[in-house]
Short mmCIF file of all heavy atoms in Angstrom, two decimals:
data_model
loop_
_atom_site.label_atom_id
_atom_site.label_comp_id
_atom_site.label_asym_id
_atom_site.label_seq_id
_atom_site.Cartn_x
_atom_site.Cartn_y
_atom_site.Cartn_z
N THR L 548 0.82 -1.21 0.02
CA THR L 548 -0.02 -0.01 -0.03
C THR L 548 0.86 1.25 0.00
O THR L 548 2.10 1.17 0.06
CB THR L 548 -0.95 0.02 1.25
OG1 THR L 548 -0.15 0.23 2.43
CG2 THR L 548 -1.77 -1.26 1.32
N ASP L 549 0.21 2.38 -0.03
CA ASP L 549 0.95 3.66 -0.10
C ASP L 549 1.23 4.23 1.28
O ASP L 549 1.80 5.29 1.44
CB ASP L 549 0.19 4.66 -0.92
CG ASP L 549 -1.17 4.95 -0.34
OD1 ASP L 549 -1.56 4.39 0.70
OD2 ASP L 549 -1.88 5.80 -0.93
N GLY L 550 0.76 3.51 2.34
CA GLY L 550 1.00 3.97 3.73
C GLY L 550 -0.03 4.94 4.22
O GLY L 550 0.09 5.47 5.32
N SER L 551 -1.08 5.20 3.44
CA SER L 551 -2.08 6.16 3.86
C SER L 551 -2.99 5.66 4.96
O SER L 551 -3.76 6.39 5.56
CB SER L 551 -2.95 6.60 2.67
OG SER L 551 -3.66 5.50 2.13
N GLY L 552 -2.92 4.33 5.25
CA GLY L 552 -3.71 3.76 6.30
C GLY L 552 -2.91 3.66 7.59
O GLY L 552 -2.01 4.46 7.83
N LEU L 553 -3.18 2.69 8.37
CA LEU L 553 -2.58 2.54 9.65
C LEU L 553 -1.47 1.46 9.69
O LEU L 553 -0.83 1.20 10.70
CB LEU L 553 -3.59 2.23 10.77
CG LEU L 553 -4.58 3.29 11.00
CD1 LEU L 553 -5.63 2.82 12.00
CD2 LEU L 553 -3.91 4.54 11.56
N ALA L 554 -1.22 0.84 8.55
CA ALA L 554 -0.26 -0.23 8.48
C ALA L 554 1.18 0.26 8.67
O ALA L 554 1.53 1.32 8.13
CB ALA L 554 -0.37 -0.96 7.13
N LEU L 555 1.95 -0.49 9.38
CA LEU L 555 3.39 -0.25 9.46
C LEU L 555 4.03 -1.45 8.81
O LEU L 555 3.93 -2.55 9.31
CB LEU L 555 3.84 -0.13 10.93
CG LEU L 555 3.30 1.07 11.68
CD1 LEU L 555 3.81 1.01 13.15
CD2 LEU L 555 3.73 2.37 11.09
N ALA L 556 4.70 -1.25 7.68
CA ALA L 556 5.22 -2.37 6.91
C ALA L 556 6.63 -1.99 6.40
O ALA L 556 6.91 -0.83 6.09
CB ALA L 556 4.31 -2.73 5.74
N PRO L 557 7.54 -2.98 6.39
CA PRO L 557 8.92 -2.63 5.97
C PRO L 557 9.01 -1.98 4.60
O PRO L 557 9.88 -1.14 4.45
CB PRO L 557 9.56 -4.06 5.93
CG PRO L 557 8.77 -4.90 6.88
CD PRO L 557 7.39 -4.36 6.76
N HIS L 558 8.17 -2.35 3.66
CA HIS L 558 8.28 -1.76 2.33
C HIS L 558 8.02 -0.29 2.36
O HIS L 558 8.52 0.45 1.51
CB HIS L 558 7.38 -2.46 1.32
CG HIS L 558 5.95 -2.09 1.44
ND1 HIS L 558 5.07 -2.73 2.35
CD2 HIS L 558 5.23 -1.19 0.79
CE1 HIS L 558 3.88 -2.17 2.27
NE2 HIS L 558 3.95 -1.21 1.34
N LEU L 559 7.29 0.20 3.34
CA LEU L 559 6.98 1.68 3.41
C LEU L 559 8.25 2.46 3.66
O LEU L 559 8.38 3.64 3.27
CB LEU L 559 5.96 1.98 4.52
CG LEU L 559 4.57 1.43 4.32
CD1 LEU L 559 3.72 1.72 5.49
CD2 LEU L 559 3.95 2.06 3.05
N VAL L 560 9.20 1.84 4.41
CA VAL L 560 10.46 2.57 4.73
C VAL L 560 11.21 2.87 3.48
O VAL L 560 11.57 4.01 3.21
CB VAL L 560 11.33 1.67 5.70
CG1 VAL L 560 12.67 2.38 5.90
CG2 VAL L 560 10.62 1.41 6.96
N ALA L 561 11.45 1.89 2.62
CA ALA L 561 12.32 2.11 1.44
C ALA L 561 11.55 2.73 0.30
O ALA L 561 12.10 3.50 -0.48
CB ALA L 561 12.86 0.74 0.99
N LYS L 562 10.28 2.45 0.15
CA LYS L 562 9.51 2.88 -0.97
C LYS L 562 8.70 4.17 -0.81
O LYS L 562 8.32 4.77 -1.80
CB LYS L 562 8.52 1.79 -1.47
CG LYS L 562 9.21 0.48 -1.79
CD LYS L 562 10.10 0.56 -3.00
CE LYS L 562 10.73 -0.73 -3.32
NZ LYS L 562 11.86 -0.63 -4.20
N VAL L 563 8.49 4.58 0.45
CA VAL L 563 7.65 5.76 0.70
C VAL L 563 8.43 6.77 1.51
O VAL L 563 8.70 7.87 1.11
CB VAL L 563 6.29 5.38 1.38
CG1 VAL L 563 5.51 6.66 1.69
CG2 VAL L 563 5.50 4.48 0.47
N VAL L 564 8.77 6.41 2.76
CA VAL L 564 9.35 7.37 3.70
C VAL L 564 10.78 7.77 3.28
O VAL L 564 11.09 8.94 3.27
CB VAL L 564 9.35 6.81 5.16
CG1 VAL L 564 9.96 7.79 6.13
CG2 VAL L 564 7.87 6.49 5.57
N TYR L 565 11.59 6.81 3.02
CA TYR L 565 12.99 7.09 2.69
C TYR L 565 13.28 6.84 1.20
O TYR L 565 14.43 6.53 0.84
CB TYR L 565 13.93 6.29 3.56
CG TYR L 565 13.81 6.67 5.04
CD1 TYR L 565 13.14 5.81 5.93
CD2 TYR L 565 14.35 7.82 5.56
CE1 TYR L 565 13.03 6.15 7.27
CE2 TYR L 565 14.24 8.18 6.86
CZ TYR L 565 13.57 7.34 7.72
OH TYR L 565 13.49 7.67 9.06
N ASP L 566 12.29 7.03 0.36
CA ASP L 566 12.53 6.87 -1.10
C ASP L 566 13.60 7.85 -1.55
O ASP L 566 13.56 8.99 -1.14
CB ASP L 566 11.21 7.09 -1.83
CG ASP L 566 11.30 6.74 -3.31
OD1 ASP L 566 12.07 5.83 -3.66
OD2 ASP L 566 10.57 7.40 -4.10
N ASN L 567 14.47 7.43 -2.36
CA ASN L 567 15.61 8.27 -2.86
C ASN L 567 16.62 8.61 -1.76
O ASN L 567 17.44 9.48 -1.97
CB ASN L 567 15.12 9.52 -3.57
CG ASN L 567 14.31 9.17 -4.81
OD1 ASN L 567 14.61 8.30 -5.53
ND2 ASN L 567 13.19 9.91 -5.02
N VAL L 568 16.52 8.00 -0.61
CA VAL L 568 17.47 8.19 0.48
C VAL L 568 18.24 6.92 0.69
O VAL L 568 19.49 6.94 0.71
CB VAL L 568 16.78 8.68 1.78
CG1 VAL L 568 17.78 8.78 2.92
CG2 VAL L 568 16.05 9.98 1.58
N LEU L 569 17.49 5.79 0.85
CA LEU L 569 18.15 4.51 1.05
C LEU L 569 18.51 3.92 -0.27
O LEU L 569 17.79 4.02 -1.23
CB LEU L 569 17.25 3.59 1.78
CG LEU L 569 16.84 3.97 3.21
CD1 LEU L 569 15.85 3.00 3.77
CD2 LEU L 569 18.12 4.05 4.13
N PRO L 570 19.66 3.25 -0.36
CA PRO L 570 20.06 2.58 -1.62
C PRO L 570 19.08 1.42 -1.93
O PRO L 570 18.47 0.85 -1.00
CB PRO L 570 21.47 2.06 -1.33
CG PRO L 570 21.62 2.04 0.10
CD PRO L 570 20.66 3.02 0.69
N GLU L 571 18.98 1.11 -3.17
CA GLU L 571 18.09 -0.03 -3.59
C GLU L 571 18.51 -1.31 -2.88
O GLU L 571 19.67 -1.63 -2.78
CB GLU L 571 18.26 -0.21 -5.13
CG GLU L 571 17.34 -1.31 -5.72
CD GLU L 571 15.88 -0.88 -5.66
OE1 GLU L 571 15.53 0.33 -5.73
OE2 GLU L 571 15.05 -1.78 -5.50
N GLY L 572 17.49 -2.00 -2.35
CA GLY L 572 17.80 -3.28 -1.66
C GLY L 572 18.26 -3.15 -0.23
O GLY L 572 18.59 -4.12 0.41
N TYR L 573 18.24 -1.92 0.29
CA TYR L 573 18.73 -1.69 1.68
C TYR L 573 17.85 -2.49 2.61
O TYR L 573 16.62 -2.43 2.55
CB TYR L 573 18.69 -0.23 2.05
CG TYR L 573 19.06 0.03 3.47
CD1 TYR L 573 20.39 0.20 3.81
CD2 TYR L 573 18.13 0.15 4.46
CE1 TYR L 573 20.80 0.43 5.09
CE2 TYR L 573 18.52 0.41 5.79
CZ TYR L 573 19.85 0.57 6.08
OH TYR L 573 20.23 0.80 7.38
N ASP L 574 18.42 -3.25 3.53
CA ASP L 574 17.71 -3.91 4.62
C ASP L 574 18.37 -3.75 5.96
O ASP L 574 17.95 -4.35 6.93
CB ASP L 574 17.41 -5.35 4.27
CG ASP L 574 18.66 -6.24 4.32
OD1 ASP L 574 19.76 -5.68 4.49
OD2 ASP L 574 18.53 -7.46 4.14
N GLY L 575 19.42 -2.92 6.05
CA GLY L 575 20.07 -2.72 7.32
C GLY L 575 20.72 -4.02 7.82
O GLY L 575 20.89 -4.99 7.08
N TRP L 576 21.07 -4.04 9.05
CA TRP L 576 21.67 -5.18 9.68
C TRP L 576 20.59 -6.19 10.14
O TRP L 576 20.89 -7.33 10.34
CB TRP L 576 22.50 -4.81 10.86
CG TRP L 576 23.72 -3.99 10.56
CD1 TRP L 576 24.33 -3.88 9.32
CD2 TRP L 576 24.52 -3.25 11.47
NE1 TRP L 576 25.42 -3.07 9.45
CE2 TRP L 576 25.55 -2.66 10.72
CE3 TRP L 576 24.41 -2.96 12.77
CZ2 TRP L 576 26.48 -1.85 11.31
CZ3 TRP L 576 25.32 -2.17 13.40
CH2 TRP L 576 26.38 -1.64 12.65
N THR L 577 19.39 -5.68 10.35
CA THR L 577 18.40 -6.54 10.95
C THR L 577 17.18 -6.78 10.06
O THR L 577 16.19 -7.26 10.51
CB THR L 577 17.90 -5.87 12.25
OG1 THR L 577 17.43 -4.58 11.96
CG2 THR L 577 18.98 -5.81 13.28
N GLY L 578 17.33 -6.52 8.75
CA GLY L 578 16.24 -6.79 7.84
C GLY L 578 14.95 -6.09 8.09
O GLY L 578 14.93 -4.91 8.44
N ASP L 579 13.83 -6.80 8.00
CA ASP L 579 12.51 -6.16 8.19
C ASP L 579 12.28 -5.54 9.57
O ASP L 579 11.68 -4.52 9.69
CB ASP L 579 11.41 -7.22 7.90
CG ASP L 579 11.24 -7.56 6.44
OD1 ASP L 579 11.86 -6.87 5.59
OD2 ASP L 579 10.49 -8.47 6.17
N ILE L 580 12.87 -6.15 10.57
CA ILE L 580 12.71 -5.61 11.92
C ILE L 580 13.40 -4.25 12.03
O ILE L 580 12.86 -3.32 12.63
CB ILE L 580 13.23 -6.58 12.97
CG1 ILE L 580 12.35 -7.88 13.00
CG2 ILE L 580 13.31 -5.97 14.33
CD1 ILE L 580 12.93 -9.01 13.78
N GLY L 581 14.55 -4.14 11.45
CA GLY L 581 15.26 -2.84 11.45
C GLY L 581 14.50 -1.76 10.69
O GLY L 581 14.44 -0.65 11.09
N LEU L 582 13.91 -2.18 9.56
CA LEU L 582 13.13 -1.25 8.77
C LEU L 582 11.90 -0.78 9.50
O LEU L 582 11.55 0.39 9.48
CB LEU L 582 12.73 -1.88 7.39
CG LEU L 582 13.93 -2.15 6.44
CD1 LEU L 582 13.40 -2.96 5.29
CD2 LEU L 582 14.58 -0.85 6.04
N LEU L 583 11.26 -1.73 10.20
CA LEU L 583 10.07 -1.33 11.03
C LEU L 583 10.48 -0.38 12.21
O LEU L 583 9.79 0.53 12.49
CB LEU L 583 9.39 -2.57 11.62
CG LEU L 583 8.57 -3.40 10.59
CD1 LEU L 583 8.14 -4.68 11.23
CD2 LEU L 583 7.38 -2.58 10.09
N ALA L 584 11.68 -0.64 12.76
CA ALA L 584 12.14 0.26 13.81
C ALA L 584 12.40 1.63 13.27
O ALA L 584 12.07 2.64 13.93
CB ALA L 584 13.45 -0.33 14.43
N MET L 585 12.96 1.74 12.04
CA MET L 585 13.17 3.05 11.46
C MET L 585 11.83 3.74 11.24
O MET L 585 11.70 4.97 11.44
CB MET L 585 13.93 2.89 10.11
CG MET L 585 15.36 2.54 10.24
SD MET L 585 16.13 2.22 8.67
CE MET L 585 16.08 3.85 7.86
N LEU L 586 10.83 3.02 10.81
CA LEU L 586 9.51 3.59 10.58
C LEU L 586 8.87 4.07 11.90
O LEU L 586 8.34 5.18 11.94
CB LEU L 586 8.56 2.57 9.92
CG LEU L 586 7.26 3.03 9.35
CD1 LEU L 586 7.43 4.16 8.38
CD2 LEU L 586 6.53 1.87 8.76
N LEU L 587 9.01 3.33 12.94
CA LEU L 587 8.51 3.72 14.22
C LEU L 587 9.22 4.95 14.76
O LEU L 587 8.61 5.87 15.28
CB LEU L 587 8.59 2.57 15.22
CG LEU L 587 7.98 2.82 16.64
CD1 LEU L 587 6.53 3.26 16.56
CD2 LEU L 587 8.17 1.58 17.46
N LEU L 588 10.53 4.99 14.63
CA LEU L 588 11.34 6.13 15.08
C LEU L 588 10.90 7.38 14.25
O LEU L 588 10.84 8.50 14.81
CB LEU L 588 12.82 5.90 14.91
CG LEU L 588 13.38 4.88 15.90
CD1 LEU L 588 14.80 4.54 15.55
CD2 LEU L 588 13.28 5.46 17.31
N ASN L 589 10.62 7.22 12.98
CA ASN L 589 10.15 8.37 12.20
C ASN L 589 8.81 8.88 12.70
O ASN L 589 8.58 10.06 12.81
CB ASN L 589 10.06 8.05 10.71
CG ASN L 589 9.73 9.24 9.89
OD1 ASN L 589 10.39 10.22 9.90
ND2 ASN L 589 8.55 9.15 9.19
N GLU L 590 7.90 7.96 13.10
CA GLU L 590 6.58 8.35 13.63
C GLU L 590 6.81 9.15 14.94
O GLU L 590 6.13 10.13 15.17
CB GLU L 590 5.71 7.15 13.89
CG GLU L 590 5.21 6.44 12.61
CD GLU L 590 4.30 7.31 11.78
OE1 GLU L 590 3.67 8.23 12.27
OE2 GLU L 590 4.25 7.07 10.55
N MET L 591 7.75 8.72 15.74
CA MET L 591 8.01 9.41 17.01
C MET L 591 8.62 10.80 16.74
O MET L 591 8.20 11.77 17.32
CB MET L 591 9.01 8.61 17.88
CG MET L 591 8.37 7.33 18.42
SD MET L 591 9.60 6.36 19.26
CE MET L 591 8.51 5.41 20.32
N ALA L 592 9.46 10.89 15.76
CA ALA L 592 10.04 12.19 15.40
C ALA L 592 9.00 13.13 14.82
O ALA L 592 9.04 14.34 15.09
CB ALA L 592 11.18 11.97 14.34
N ARG L 593 8.02 12.59 14.12
CA ARG L 593 6.94 13.43 13.54
C ARG L 593 6.16 14.11 14.66
O ARG L 593 5.54 15.12 14.51
CB ARG L 593 6.00 12.64 12.66
CG ARG L 593 6.64 12.21 11.38
CD ARG L 593 5.74 11.24 10.65
NE ARG L 593 4.62 11.87 9.97
CZ ARG L 593 3.81 11.22 9.21
NH1 ARG L 593 3.92 9.90 8.97
NH2 ARG L 593 2.79 11.87 8.62
N LEU L 594 6.06 13.44 15.85
CA LEU L 594 5.28 13.95 16.98
C LEU L 594 6.11 14.81 17.95
O LEU L 594 5.60 15.22 18.96
CB LEU L 594 4.71 12.79 17.71
CG LEU L 594 3.73 11.92 16.96
CD1 LEU L 594 3.31 10.72 17.79
CD2 LEU L 594 2.51 12.78 16.58
N ASN L 595 7.34 15.07 17.62
CA ASN L 595 8.19 15.84 18.52
C ASN L 595 7.56 17.14 18.87
O ASN L 595 7.15 17.92 18.04
CB ASN L 595 9.56 16.10 17.77
CG ASN L 595 10.59 16.77 18.66
OD1 ASN L 595 10.27 17.41 19.66
ND2 ASN L 595 11.81 16.66 18.32
N VAL L 596 7.45 17.43 20.19
CA VAL L 596 6.74 18.62 20.68
C VAL L 596 7.44 19.89 20.31
O VAL L 596 6.83 20.94 20.28
CB VAL L 596 6.54 18.56 22.22
CG1 VAL L 596 5.64 17.43 22.60
CG2 VAL L 596 7.87 18.46 22.92
N ASP L 597 8.71 19.84 19.98
CA ASP L 597 9.46 21.00 19.56
C ASP L 597 9.39 21.25 18.07
O ASP L 597 10.13 22.03 17.53
CB ASP L 597 10.98 20.87 19.99
CG ASP L 597 11.16 20.77 21.46
OD1 ASP L 597 10.36 21.42 22.19
OD2 ASP L 597 12.03 20.10 21.90
N GLY L 598 8.42 20.60 17.46
CA GLY L 598 8.30 20.77 16.01
C GLY L 598 8.70 19.43 15.39
O GLY L 598 9.76 18.86 15.71
N GLY L 599 7.81 18.91 14.58
CA GLY L 599 8.12 17.59 13.95
C GLY L 599 9.46 17.60 13.21
O GLY L 599 9.73 18.47 12.40
N THR L 600 10.29 16.69 13.56
CA THR L 600 11.58 16.59 12.91
C THR L 600 11.71 15.36 12.00
O THR L 600 12.69 15.17 11.36
CB THR L 600 12.69 16.50 13.95
OG1 THR L 600 12.42 15.39 14.84
CG2 THR L 600 12.79 17.80 14.72
N GLY L 601 10.66 14.59 11.97
CA GLY L 601 10.63 13.39 11.11
C GLY L 601 10.25 13.75 9.70
O GLY L 601 9.98 14.91 9.37
N ILE L 602 10.30 12.78 8.84
CA ILE L 602 9.90 12.95 7.45
C ILE L 602 8.32 12.77 7.48
O ILE L 602 7.80 11.78 7.97
CB ILE L 602 10.49 11.88 6.56
CG1 ILE L 602 12.04 12.08 6.57
CG2 ILE L 602 9.95 11.93 5.14
CD1 ILE L 602 12.79 10.95 5.93
N ASP L 603 7.60 13.74 6.93
CA ASP L 603 6.18 13.76 6.99
C ASP L 603 5.57 12.79 5.97
O ASP L 603 4.74 13.20 5.14
CB ASP L 603 5.64 15.18 6.80
CG ASP L 603 4.19 15.33 7.21
OD1 ASP L 603 3.70 14.47 8.01
OD2 ASP L 603 3.50 16.26 6.75
N LEU L 604 5.97 11.57 6.03
CA LEU L 604 5.44 10.47 5.15
C LEU L 604 5.31 9.25 6.05
O LEU L 604 6.08 9.08 6.99
CB LEU L 604 6.42 10.22 4.03
CG LEU L 604 6.56 11.27 3.00
CD1 LEU L 604 7.72 10.98 2.03
CD2 LEU L 604 5.29 11.45 2.19
N PRO L 605 4.43 8.40 5.79
CA PRO L 605 3.43 8.45 4.70
C PRO L 605 2.31 9.44 5.04
O PRO L 605 2.02 9.71 6.22
CB PRO L 605 2.90 7.03 4.64
CG PRO L 605 3.07 6.47 6.03
CD PRO L 605 4.35 7.14 6.53
N LYS L 606 1.76 10.03 3.98
CA LYS L 606 0.63 10.94 4.17
C LYS L 606 -0.58 10.09 4.53
O LYS L 606 -0.82 9.08 3.94
CB LYS L 606 0.36 11.75 2.84
CG LYS L 606 1.48 12.60 2.47
CD LYS L 606 1.57 13.80 3.37
CE LYS L 606 2.60 14.79 2.87
NZ LYS L 606 2.96 15.79 3.85
N ARG L 607 -1.29 10.59 5.53
CA ARG L 607 -2.53 9.89 5.98
C ARG L 607 -3.63 10.88 6.10
O ARG L 607 -3.41 12.08 6.33
CB ARG L 607 -2.29 9.24 7.34
CG ARG L 607 -1.27 8.17 7.37
CD ARG L 607 -1.23 7.50 8.74
NE ARG L 607 -0.15 6.52 8.81
CZ ARG L 607 1.03 6.73 9.31
NH1 ARG L 607 1.34 7.92 9.89
NH2 ARG L 607 1.91 5.79 9.34
N LYS L 608 -4.87 10.36 6.10
CA LYS L 608 -6.03 11.24 6.45
C LYS L 608 -5.87 11.69 7.87
O LYS L 608 -5.25 10.99 8.67
CB LYS L 608 -7.32 10.48 6.21
CG LYS L 608 -7.59 10.16 4.73
CD LYS L 608 -8.91 9.41 4.60
CE LYS L 608 -9.15 9.10 3.15
NZ LYS L 608 -10.37 8.35 2.93
N GLU L 609 -6.43 12.82 8.20
CA GLU L 609 -6.29 13.39 9.52
C GLU L 609 -6.68 12.40 10.65
O GLU L 609 -5.98 12.28 11.67
CB GLU L 609 -7.09 14.67 9.67
CG GLU L 609 -6.80 15.43 10.94
CD GLU L 609 -7.58 16.73 11.02
OE1 GLU L 609 -7.85 17.31 9.97
OE2 GLU L 609 -7.84 17.15 12.13
N ALA L 610 -7.80 11.71 10.48
CA ALA L 610 -8.24 10.79 11.52
C ALA L 610 -7.27 9.62 11.72
O ALA L 610 -6.94 9.22 12.84
CB ALA L 610 -9.63 10.23 11.18
N ALA L 611 -6.68 9.11 10.60
CA ALA L 611 -5.75 8.04 10.69
C ALA L 611 -4.45 8.52 11.34
O ALA L 611 -3.83 7.82 12.14
CB ALA L 611 -5.44 7.44 9.29
N GLN L 612 -4.00 9.73 10.99
CA GLN L 612 -2.76 10.30 11.59
C GLN L 612 -2.96 10.54 13.06
O GLN L 612 -2.08 10.29 13.89
CB GLN L 612 -2.31 11.52 10.90
CG GLN L 612 -0.99 12.02 11.36
CD GLN L 612 0.16 11.06 11.19
OE1 GLN L 612 0.19 10.28 10.22
NE2 GLN L 612 1.04 11.03 12.18
N SER L 613 -4.16 10.97 13.48
CA SER L 613 -4.45 11.22 14.93
C SER L 613 -4.43 9.89 15.67
O SER L 613 -3.90 9.86 16.78
CB SER L 613 -5.80 11.85 15.10
OG SER L 613 -5.81 13.17 14.55
N LEU L 614 -5.02 8.88 15.11
CA LEU L 614 -4.94 7.53 15.75
C LEU L 614 -3.52 7.03 15.87
O LEU L 614 -3.12 6.50 16.92
CB LEU L 614 -5.84 6.51 14.99
CG LEU L 614 -5.92 5.11 15.62
CD1 LEU L 614 -6.44 5.20 17.06
CD2 LEU L 614 -6.77 4.24 14.73
N MET L 615 -2.72 7.19 14.82
CA MET L 615 -1.36 6.75 14.83
C MET L 615 -0.54 7.53 15.92
O MET L 615 0.18 6.97 16.68
CB MET L 615 -0.63 6.91 13.46
CG MET L 615 0.78 6.49 13.44
SD MET L 615 1.04 4.74 13.70
CE MET L 615 0.46 4.06 12.16
N ALA L 616 -0.81 8.85 16.00
CA ALA L 616 -0.13 9.67 17.00
C ALA L 616 -0.52 9.24 18.40
O ALA L 616 0.36 9.13 19.24
CB ALA L 616 -0.49 11.13 16.80
N ALA L 617 -1.82 8.94 18.61
CA ALA L 617 -2.24 8.47 19.94
C ALA L 617 -1.60 7.15 20.30
O ALA L 617 -1.20 6.95 21.44
CB ALA L 617 -3.76 8.37 20.00
N TRP L 618 -1.45 6.31 19.33
CA TRP L 618 -0.82 4.98 19.58
C TRP L 618 0.66 5.15 19.93
O TRP L 618 1.14 4.57 20.91
CB TRP L 618 -0.97 4.08 18.36
CG TRP L 618 -0.25 2.75 18.53
CD1 TRP L 618 -0.60 1.72 19.33
CD2 TRP L 618 0.96 2.41 17.89
NE1 TRP L 618 0.32 0.68 19.24
CE2 TRP L 618 1.32 1.08 18.35
CE3 TRP L 618 1.82 3.02 17.01
CZ2 TRP L 618 2.45 0.39 17.95
CZ3 TRP L 618 2.99 2.34 16.60
CH2 TRP L 618 3.24 1.06 17.06
N VAL L 619 1.38 6.02 19.18
CA VAL L 619 2.80 6.22 19.42
C VAL L 619 3.00 6.79 20.84
O VAL L 619 3.87 6.39 21.58
CB VAL L 619 3.43 7.09 18.36
CG1 VAL L 619 4.80 7.56 18.72
CG2 VAL L 619 3.47 6.35 17.03
N VAL L 620 2.19 7.76 21.19
CA VAL L 620 2.29 8.39 22.52
C VAL L 620 2.02 7.42 23.63
O VAL L 620 2.57 7.51 24.72
CB VAL L 620 1.33 9.61 22.59
CG1 VAL L 620 1.25 10.15 24.02
CG2 VAL L 620 1.79 10.71 21.67
N SER L 621 1.20 6.42 23.36
CA SER L 621 0.85 5.44 24.41
C SER L 621 1.91 4.34 24.63
O SER L 621 1.86 3.60 25.59
CB SER L 621 -0.52 4.77 24.10
OG SER L 621 -0.36 3.82 23.05
N LEU L 622 2.91 4.32 23.74
CA LEU L 622 3.94 3.31 23.89
C LEU L 622 4.77 3.57 25.12
O LEU L 622 4.97 4.72 25.52
CB LEU L 622 4.87 3.31 22.67
CG LEU L 622 4.19 2.88 21.33
CD1 LEU L 622 5.14 3.10 20.17
CD2 LEU L 622 3.79 1.44 21.41
N PRO L 623 5.27 2.54 25.77
CA PRO L 623 6.11 2.73 27.00
C PRO L 623 7.38 3.48 26.64
O PRO L 623 7.97 3.30 25.56
CB PRO L 623 6.39 1.32 27.48
CG PRO L 623 5.88 0.37 26.48
CD PRO L 623 5.10 1.12 25.47
N THR L 624 7.84 4.27 27.57
CA THR L 624 9.09 5.01 27.41
C THR L 624 10.22 4.07 27.83
O THR L 624 10.01 3.04 28.49
CB THR L 624 9.11 6.26 28.30
OG1 THR L 624 9.11 5.86 29.67
CG2 THR L 624 7.97 7.20 28.01
N PRO L 625 11.47 4.41 27.51
CA PRO L 625 12.62 3.56 27.91
C PRO L 625 12.66 3.42 29.46
O PRO L 625 13.08 2.40 29.94
CB PRO L 625 13.82 4.33 27.41
CG PRO L 625 13.32 5.09 26.24
CD PRO L 625 11.90 5.52 26.61
N GLU L 626 12.18 4.41 30.18
CA GLU L 626 12.17 4.34 31.67
C GLU L 626 11.11 3.39 32.18
O GLU L 626 11.22 2.93 33.30
CB GLU L 626 11.96 5.71 32.27
CG GLU L 626 13.13 6.68 32.08
CD GLU L 626 13.10 7.31 30.61
OE1 GLU L 626 12.02 7.47 30.07
OE2 GLU L 626 14.16 7.60 30.09
N GLU L 627 10.09 3.14 31.35
CA GLU L 627 9.00 2.26 31.84
C GLU L 627 9.42 0.85 31.56
O GLU L 627 9.00 -0.13 31.74
CB GLU L 627 7.72 2.59 31.15
CG GLU L 627 7.24 3.99 31.51
CD GLU L 627 5.97 4.41 30.76
OE1 GLU L 627 5.95 4.24 29.51
OE2 GLU L 627 5.07 4.90 31.36
#
């Protein structure tokens, strides 16, 4: 998919969020798990209270982005 829904999938990292940034076939050291981690970190960066510092992709409808933001905020912190 194009990432406009709520799915978090490895292909979104290379084909949508970091398109033209990561080299073709990039899978990091940890494959799909590493790509999902990059996607989650980008979602956290997008919600940065000092101004979103992440890449504003994938584009989502407002309701879907609000739900994703609420989910990311509900995740445990490293201290928890």
Side-chain angles (χ1 to χ4, degrees):
T548 68
D549 62 0
S551 61
L553 294 174
L555 296 177
H558 76 276
L559 293 176
V560 177
K562 302 295 182 196
V563 176
V564 179
Y565 296 104
D566 188 30
N567 297 320
V568 175
L569 296 176
E571 184 67 33
Y573 177 85
D574 69 355
W576 293 342
T577 56
D579 285 352
I580 293 170
L582 293 172
L583 286 171
M585 287 175 65
L586 191 57
L587 183 57
L588 288 171
N589 185 60
E590 291 296 336
M591 292 174 156
R593 290 171 77 176
L594 296 174
N595 186 338
V596 295
D597 296 326
T600 55
I602 298 170
D603 195 22
L604 291 171
K606 296 288 185 192
R607 297 186 183 99
K608 292 181 181 177
E609 187 176 335
Q612 187 58 37
S613 293
L614 182 58
M615 181 64 73
W618 176 73
V619 169
V620 170
S621 74
L622 294 173
T624 66
E626 292 80 30
E627 295 175 312

